[in-house]
Amino acid sequence: MARYLITSALPYINGIKHLGNLVGSQLPADLIARYLRARGHEVLFLCATDEHGTPAELAAAKAGQPVEAFCAQMHEVQAGIAAGFRLSFDHFGRSSSPQNRALTQHFAGKLAENGYIEEVSERQVFSIADNRFLPDRYIEGTCPNCGYDKARGDQCENCTKQLDPTDLIDPRSAISGSTDLEVRETKHLFLRQSALRGELQAWIDSKTDWPILTTSIAKKWLNDGDGLQDRGITRDLYWGVPVKKGDQDWPGMEGKVFYVWFDAPIEYIACAAEWAEANGKTDADWERWWRTDKGADDVTYLQFMGKDNVPFHTLSFPATQIGSQEPWKMVDYIKSFNYLNYDGGQFSTSQGRGIFMDQALSILPSDYWRWWLLSHAPESSDSEFTWENFQGSVNKDLADVLGNLVSRVTKFCRAKFGEVVPAGGQTGPREAELIAELTTRLRAYEGNMQAMEVRKAATELRAIWVAGNEYLQSAAPWTVIKTDPETAEAMVRLALNLIRLYAVVSRPFIPDAAQSMMDAMGCDDWSWPEDVGAALATLPAGHAFTVPDVTFRKITDEERAEWQTRFAGIRT
């Protein structure tokens, strides 16, 4: 048994995420966590809401709530949706937790002690009316590039041009709308990433098995232009982790908080501490996952994220860990994803374009979405969600292949032999061929899952389902029963055991359907089919089963057209 620590990029607190966010981090992380547990490994799967920073304050203000109350409410909403998609987190924490506050301050103190923090004077926009410095996103104005009148101080959403607040025409406060702004000097802390460049380069170079997408982004940030830049880790905001040097005040930093990008990855560690506290465990229980001097040296740490998060996880968070000069567990493998686009354009949380996680669950159960998203995961390039493709995949893969087998076998057995596994006959060469094919395909499936090749794993799983259908079509027990009922019994006995095997190997992808298949077989034996032949004899003759409800229903053309129209507009 090996030990695996798995984290997926933290979903931001300011709204419900769309399907592109889901397939880019949380869902594939869940797939691998479920698979590794099924193989008997010890897994700690952690995620949390990312709660600090400007967008959280703005979203709370828009909702007319104090930011603390808004974040608490949205955490519950996101946790509920995660549960709806059957994301099997061991803990779903919060970056605003006391554990993350203490750990973030601890890391800052260690980095300062080791010479990796620098105080830098900057000129920033100050709002007289609001009596505060305005972070870039708190400043709105007209874009000098395209004329869009709601451009932010960091970027124009209309033309995507990167901006500085001073570039904006007629700038105003996003809080009060006031144009009474002036530029003032303020001090901030910077993480001296450039001083750690050599160590980061050597560490990244040692990761020869990482996806090209991950390493290419990391090396671009390391080497392009002037190379890796120092980065500000504080902001003049109300909402965030107060700036402290460990548990000591930091002179000159009063009223400031740590920048969200600095504290959010530290929440991966803090989340383990939250998990320990929530489950009545000790500090030693979480430290064995995170500190190599306390047992984490035998842990394999896997991270899952969209490509936009790669720089923070390959450079900034590792710089924080390395710079602390403490024995923290570093990531072993970063599985990064490209973007999932939506019906000819892009998903957009800010513009409400596409289908969002709560909407998806309101029209179909989670397994339909899990299967499509994972079997179309944007691994080697961007992929695109279209309603036609979704309908075709659900109807062919889930309804025609898997669901059809379950229905045909159970209904035929009930009609001819009753609701028990039939006892007669012996299997022959045809069944031996099926077992050989399933063994080959199952080993390929296991290899793809171990390598975290999500689409390839889905392709193999579907081929495993197809092999069973082809066997059934070829064996034709409904014909054989007329002349050789005992042989037909043996075929059906094997086919009922095939349903149980499919439940076990399909569970990481479609957990609810797997459970209903297992329940129908009157079984709770989830042991992995190391020996396919033996696995296909798990349910003995005389074992009772039931005919399940439809495992997967087909999506009609009318439904597809209606959904395509309903989700083409802007979510308000």
Side-chain angles (χ1 to χ4, degrees):
M1 182 177 75
R3 297 171 63 214
Y4 288 89
L5 172 63
I6 300 178
T7 62
S8 66
L10 310 184
Y12 198 67
I13 197 71
N14 66 333
I16 292 166
K17 304 298 110 178
H18 55 64
L19 295 183
N21 298 130
L22 179 64
V23 76
S25 56
Q26 293 173 308
L27 187 54
D30 178 71
L31 174 78
I32 302 304
R34 285 177 173 275
Y35 171 74
L36 293 170
R37 290 190 194 110
R39 300 306 304 275
H41 299 303
E42 186 182 3
V43 173
L44 184 64
F45 178 24
L46 302 173
C47 192
T49 37
D50 178 5
E51 300 192 6
H52 293 137
T54 311
E57 285 197 23
L58 289 175
K62 186 176 179 182
Q65 291 179 278
V67 67
E68 294 90 343
F70 173 81
C71 288
Q73 179 186 329
M74 285 308 302
H75 173 79
E76 290 304 311
V77 169
Q78 291 203 20
I81 293 171
F85 275 98
R86 306 299 184 252
L87 302 178
S88 59
F89 304 127
D90 289 290
H91 191 73
F92 187 61
R94 303 181 60 186
S95 69
S96 61
S97 69
Q99 290 88 343
N100 196 42
R101 176 180 291 217
L103 261 173
T104 299
Q105 292 167 341
H106 168 83
F107 269 104
K110 286 294 176 185
L111 288 163
E113 195 177 296
N114 298 329
Y116 293 116
I117 299 286
E118 183 178 7
E119 291 190 18
V120 175
S121 288
E122 289 187 312
R123 289 171 66 75
Q124 265 187 284
V125 175
F126 187 89
S127 167
I128 309 296
D130 301 307
N131 193 33
R132 61 181 291 174
F133 284 99
L134 297 178
D136 298 350
R137 281 178 169 243
Y138 273 35
I139 306 161
E140 290 181 347
T142 301
C143 174
N145 186 52
C146 71
Y148 181 59
D149 66 355
K150 289 187 177 64
R152 294 194 312 250
D154 58 349
Q155 186 179 22
C156 175
E157 275 196 354
N158 188 54
C159 69
T160 73
K161 184 176 176 63
Q162 299 286 316
L163 299 169
D164 286 319
T166 50
D167 296 334
L168 294 172
I169 300 164
D170 300 325
R172 61 189 177 274
S173 164
I175 303 167
S176 61
S178 171
T179 57
D180 193 4
L181 311 177
E182 63 184 38
V183 177
R184 292 186 184 179
E185 196 162 286
T186 182
K187 272 191 175 181
H188 282 291
L189 303 178
F190 273 62
L191 175 61
R192 297 183 57 224
Q193 295 185 143
S194 58
L196 291 158
R197 185 180 178 280
E199 287 177 76
L200 289 166
Q201 178 85 62
W203 177 67
I204 290 165
D205 287 345
S206 74
K207 303 299 182 184
T208 54
D209 63 335
W210 280 10
I212 292 169
L213 179 63
T214 303
T215 49
S216 61
I217 293 170
K219 289 179 177 179
K220 178 180 171 67
W221 279 61
L222 263 178
N223 301 316
D224 275 14
D226 296 326
L228 187 62
Q229 299 296 299
D230 297 343
R231 194 173 173 95
I233 62 168
T234 57
R235 282 290 184 269
D236 290 292
L237 284 173
Y238 157 72
W239 178 237
V241 175
V243 175
K244 284 197 169 188
K245 196 178 291 187
D247 57 3
Q248 303 297 310
D249 290 337
W250 202 312
M253 293 293 127
E254 295 80 8
K256 297 181 191 291
V257 299
F258 287 108
Y259 194 9
V260 62
W261 76 259
F262 182 70
D263 83 76
I266 294 170
E267 169 59 18
Y268 292 138
I269 306 174
C271 189
E274 294 171 51
W275 160 77
E277 182 181 292
N279 290 280
K281 297 177 182 294
T282 66
D283 284 349
D285 289 306
W286 73 261
E287 288 172 341
R288 68 188 282 268
W289 291 97
W290 274 108
R291 288 189 64 106
T292 56
D293 60 338
K294 296 187 178 181
D297 49 341
D298 67 345
V299 168
T300 299
Y301 178 18
L302 312 174
Q303 289 180 347
F304 291 79
M305 70 199 64
K307 61 186 176 184
D308 52 332
N309 271 314
V310 168
F312 298 109
H313 292 78
T314 54
L315 301 169
S316 300
F317 183 43
T320 299
Q321 291 181 290
I322 293 168
S324 75
Q325 296 177 8
E326 293 181 318
W328 295 106
K329 174 66 190 173
M330 304 280 287
V331 67
D332 293 295
Y333 192 87
I334 296 179
K335 176 72 175 179
S336 55
F337 291 84
N338 289 284
Y339 294 139
L340 175 68
N341 294 319
Y342 179 77
D343 231 358
Q346 286 188 326
F347 277 97
S348 172
T349 300
S350 57
Q351 295 179 22
R353 187 173 194 282
I355 183 162
F356 289 73
M357 290 169 67
D358 59 335
Q359 296 170 328
L361 291 176
S362 75
I363 60 174
L364 283 171
S366 61
D367 280 347
Y368 293 72
W369 302 106
R370 287 178 65 105
W371 173 251
W372 189 91
L373 290 166
L374 290 166
S375 61
H376 294 77
E379 290 175 296
S380 56
S381 62
D382 290 354
S383 59
E384 181 166 15
F385 178 92
T386 68
W387 287 100
E388 290 82 4
N389 187 306
F390 178 63
Q391 179 192 25
S393 183
V394 165
N395 290 358
K396 289 174 188 168
D397 299 349
L398 298 180
D400 285 346
V401 180
L402 181 59
N404 185 47
L405 181 138
V406 174
S407 178
R408 288 170 82 188
V409 171
T410 55
K411 287 179 178 175
F412 177 73
C413 187
R414 178 175 63 183
K416 301 301 181 182
F417 311 116
E419 291 190 14
V420 293
V421 176
Q426 299 294 319
T427 55
R430 194 194 307 274
E431 288 74 27
E433 282 179 26
L434 172 65
I435 288 168
E437 181 183 353
L438 289 176
T439 300
T440 301
R441 291 208 173 277
L442 185 58
R443 298 293 93 88
Y445 174 66
E446 292 164 356
N448 288 326
M449 290 289 263
Q450 197 66 41
M452 290 169 278
E453 294 282 357
V454 175
R455 287 178 80 145
K456 288 180 181 176
T459 299
E460 279 304 334
L461 180 58
R462 186 184 188 281
I464 288 168
W465 299 339
V466 167
N469 272 278
E470 289 177 343
Y471 162 76
L472 211 58
Q473 204 61 31
S474 156
W478 42 86
T479 302
V480 172
I481 195 172
K482 297 169 186 173
T483 56
D484 188 354
E486 287 215 338
T487 297
E489 287 187 45
M491 291 171 175
V492 171
R493 184 168 62 250
L494 180 118
L496 288 167
N497 272 283
L498 195 57
I499 293 172
R500 180 206 154 263
L501 184 148
Y502 284 176
V504 173
V505 301
S506 306
R507 195 185 198 184
F509 279 87
I510 45 173
D512 285 353
Q515 186 65 57
S516 71
M517 288 158 66
M518 192 65 93
D519 290 346
M521 292 303 100
C523 184
D524 194 34
D525 180 356
W526 291 96
S527 56
W528 193 262
E530 308 291 349
D531 179 333
V532 172
L536 291 178
T538 302
L539 305 179
H543 179 85
F545 72 90
T546 56
V547 176
D549 294 332
V550 174
T551 310
F552 290 101
R553 71 169 184 82
K554 289 193 173 185
I555 296 170
T556 66
D557 290 345
E558 292 75 19
E559 284 177 314
R560 187 206 72 219
E562 193 266 314
W563 294 337
Q564 200 159 9
T565 302
R566 193 195 315 177
F567 298 111
I570 297 297
R571 176 182 179 130
T572 54

